[in-house]
Amino acid sequence: AQSVTQPDIHITVSEGASLELRCNYSYGATPYLFWYVQSPGQGLQLLLKYFSGDTLVQGIKGFEAEFKRSQSSFNLRKPSVHWSDAAEYFCAVATASGAGSYQLTFGKGTKLSVIP
Amino acid sequence: KAGVTQTPRYLIKTRGQQVTLSCSPISGHRSVSWYQQTPGQGLQFLFEYFSETQRNKGNFPGRFSGRQFSNSRSEMNVSTLELGDSALYLCASRRSGISTDTQYFGPGTRLTVL
């Protein structure tokens, strides 16, 4: 069965420091991968997605992610973190169920705290 | 363009009651999915509707049901509420039935069951 693992429950970084959030997936076919961000009391906002092609994907707010098939990973990176990036980040894989339908299987999330 | 809207944003019910949550997708989107988010289980898929038909369902009991109207708006119903149903319920819409379409999420409805 498909699954997503985010090994880090909570990460704290200083403002201006670089960031890498880890994501490993388990899926038999070519994965469709996503990173979403959730601020307290809010829904999920899409940061970026990977369907095919270039394995380095650029997203909004200066985020990027790299798909590595050999490592079954899709890690999220940002070169310089801003205080407003403090939130919870979710990695997800789309599981197709036929006729264009798919469901997202999410990791447990990584909570990011930013020290001013 | 307006995003996905969900009403109500907050809801308090007691055990045994039923509840109906509403979701209005982004204009032009025909697919609506529902997810439950709890601290213990995380984000879990409930079901997806497309053109008024349920075409995918997660592993939830029959107390959880939904429907979609001709204007793509969707409702989710939970009957005989249990304490464990307390959660943030998120609705997501996407344009069509193509598997590469992206899901866009609403702000959620926070349900508390007492």
Side-chain angles (χ1 to χ4, degrees):
Chain A
Q2 64 285 345
S3 65
V4 176
T5 301
Q6 294 181 247
D8 304 305
I9 297 173
H10 191 186
I11 284 181
T12 300
V13 300
S14 298
E15 191 170 17
S18 63
L19 172 71
E20 182 169 31
L21 302 182
R22 296 182 291 165
C23 172
N24 292 97
Y25 67 89
S26 173
Y27 188 61
T30 301
Y32 294 157
L33 295 161
F34 304 80
W35 274 100
Y36 285 89
V37 60
Q38 185 177 37
S39 297
Q42 301 298 313
L44 300 172
Q45 181 183 22
L46 178 70
L47 286 175
L48 46 78
K49 61 187 178 186
Y50 172 78
F51 287 156
S52 64
D54 193 349
T55 56
L56 185 61
V57 180
Q58 301 297 321
I60 63 171
K61 303 184 179 185
F63 286 93
E64 67 177 25
E66 186 171 13
F67 171 62
K68 293 185 177 179
R69 184 185 299 275
S70 61
Q71 299 176 19
S72 297
S73 70
F74 189 56
N75 294 347
L76 182 71
R77 301 193 294 249
K78 187 170 184 178
S80 179
V81 170
H82 188 262
W83 65 267
S84 60
D85 293 324
E88 192 156 18
Y89 292 79
F90 293 91
C91 180
V93 62
T95 307
S97 59
S101 176
Y102 74 75
Q103 64 193 71
L104 293 175
T105 298
F106 287 89
K108 294 294 189 183
T110 298
K111 185 175 181 180
L112 174 66
S113 297
V114 180
I115 300 172
Chain B
K1 200 177 209 182
V4 178
T5 58
Q6 294 186 243
T7 55
R9 292 292 311 276
Y10 302 91
L11 207 48
I12 300 175
K13 292 286 187 179
T14 56
R15 280 182 301 173
Q17 287 186 311
Q18 75 165 16
V19 66
T20 299
L21 313 180
S22 180
C23 171
S24 293
I26 293 171
S27 178
H29 285 197
R30 296 167 61 195
S31 166
V32 172
S33 295
W34 289 88
Y35 292 82
Q36 181 196 63
Q37 184 177 24
T38 60
Q41 299 299 315
L43 284 150
Q44 295 183 283
F45 171 76
L46 281 157
F47 29 65
E48 180 190 14
Y49 285 86
F50 180 76
S51 293
E52 302 179 64
T53 301
Q54 185 186 90
R55 61 177 184 175
N56 195 8
K57 190 177 191 306
N59 188 26
F60 278 82
R63 299 185 297 106
F64 292 82
S65 64
R67 59 178 176 169
Q68 186 181 33
F69 301 95
S70 58
N71 61 357
S72 294
R73 189 178 68 87
S74 177
E75 287 182 348
M76 187 194 117
N77 185 274
V78 187
S79 63
T80 318
L81 284 166
E82 301 176 359
L83 295 179
D85 297 332
S86 294
L88 181 67
Y89 290 89
L90 294 164
C91 165
S93 76
R94 59 191 180 111
R95 183 176 301 278
S96 68
I98 300 174
S99 59
T100 53
D101 273 349
T102 298
Q103 291 189 1
Y104 295 92
F105 285 80
T109 293
R110 172 74 63 184
L111 172 64
T112 301
V113 182
L114 302 176

